Amino acid sequence: MIPRLHTTPTSDTLYLDFAAELAVRGFAGEISHAYADRTVLSTDNSIYQVLPQLVVFPRDNDDVIRIARLAGEPRFQGLSLNARGGGTGTNGQSLGHGVIVDISRHMNRILEINAAERWVRVQGGVVKDQLNAALKAHGLFFAPELSTSNRATLGGMINTDASGQGSCLYGKTRDHVLALDTVLLDGTLWHSAPLDEAEFAAISRRDDRVGAVHRLLDDIRRDDAALIAEKFPK
């Protein structure tokens, strides 16, 4: 037998206010602070259990942008956000005490398959086996092979650079990513893809967060180049 629960943990006022304001701003997905929903998302494929304050299920990119913009406002600076896909991580990557942003419920569509050029466009919540089932008719598949491929999402695989069986032959997840649409913490939608030097320099001059990210990447690149030159002089 186990002890009976006499009280149900409730969410902090800050998170309840965030939920209410998110709904007012047109959030199209679901928002829940129910104890049952929070308990379900308090565990993943790891040994850990962390009860979140709030769970949200965005319906599209606009909902993700609403979450990021609202969380960035001064009154909600104390919140934390944790993105979640299939919850297959073994290190508790999708767990957190704040807001769990579950991408897998709604943002799980395969948007386009270009078999001739061998690329697909998908939402982050697409499961690997789901994608491979759609690609089978074209004689294609998405590598590498994972033991959790029947529930691992593409967004989670990209986030953790999943490898798994076959990665020595086919490479890791990063070797199969052509471009990404990413929502930054200020709500900016950032489209990233390979750039030549002129394109990189042009984007680095932008005044928004995307420009700041590129300037930071340029600094890191210069520091790495200087370190390599110091360690391995010609």
Side-chain angles (χ1 to χ4, degrees), residues 1-5:
M1 293 185 295
I2 60 175
R4 180 169 65 90
L5 295 176

Side-chain angles (χ1 to χ4, degrees), residues 10-175:
T10 57
S11 299
D12 292 344
T13 302
L14 178 66
Y15 288 89
L16 297 178
D17 290 345
F18 182 82
E21 185 63 28
L22 197 59
V24 168
R25 299 197 184 188
F27 188 81
E30 292 83 44
I31 305 169
S32 177
H33 56 81
Y35 182 55
D37 291 330
R38 292 158 56 208
T39 300
V40 168
L41 298 186
S42 69
T43 59
D44 60 4
N45 204 33
S46 71
I47 63 173
Y48 307 110
Q49 181 172 9
V50 181
L51 185 68
Q53 297 286 332
L54 186 71
V55 294
V56 295
F57 305 91
R59 192 166 293 276
D60 50 30
N61 282 349
D62 290 339
D63 271 353
V64 179
I65 291 171
R66 290 185 182 99
I67 293 169
R69 285 180 177 171
L70 184 59
E73 295 185 2
R75 58 176 168 154
F76 294 119
Q77 286 294 306
L79 277 92
S80 64
L81 301 174
N82 293 84
R84 182 182 177 108
T88 60
T90 57
N91 297 304
Q93 297 99 319
S94 65
L95 305 181
H97 293 284
V99 182
I100 300 297
V101 183
D102 191 314
I103 303 296
S104 65
R105 175 175 289 187
H106 298 298
M107 300 181 67
N108 52 21
R109 292 184 298 142
I110 300 172
L111 303 174
E112 185 178 0
I113 297 177
N114 189 320
E117 298 181 9
R118 298 191 175 188
W119 57 262
V120 296
R121 189 164 59 89
V122 302
Q123 293 181 312
V126 168
V127 173
K128 183 180 183 294
D129 277 2
Q130 171 194 354
L131 175 59
N132 280 342
L135 293 175
K136 187 175 181 180
H138 303 284
L140 303 171
F141 75 103
F142 183 83
E145 190 59 54
L146 308 178
S147 61
T148 57
S149 62
N150 65 345
R151 54 200 187 278
T153 63
L154 271 293
M157 290 179 64
I158 292 168
N159 187 54
T160 59
D161 193 22
S163 53
Q165 182 178 346
S167 60
C168 291
L169 177 62
Y170 297 108
K172 297 183 178 182
T173 301
R174 67 182 178 217
D175 298 309

Side-chain angles (χ1 to χ4, degrees), residues 157-225:
M157 290 179 64
I158 292 168
N159 187 54
T160 59
D161 193 22
S163 53
Q165 182 178 346
S167 60
C168 291
L169 177 62
Y170 297 108
K172 297 183 178 182
T173 301
R174 67 182 178 217
D175 298 309
H176 304 281
V177 176
L178 299 177
L180 292 173
D181 287 327
T182 305
V183 177
L184 303 181
L185 287 177
D186 65 348
T188 300
L189 183 61
W190 177 23
H191 177 79
S192 57
L195 302 172
D196 60 31
E197 289 297 327
E199 292 170 328
F200 188 94
I203 294 178
S204 298
R205 290 192 291 269
R206 287 172 50 167
D207 293 329
D208 58 6
R209 187 178 287 264
V210 173
V213 168
H214 281 74
R215 288 191 293 275
L216 177 61
L217 291 173
D218 193 40
D219 290 341
I220 293 173
R221 183 173 60 174
R222 292 175 186 274
D223 289 343
D224 287 346

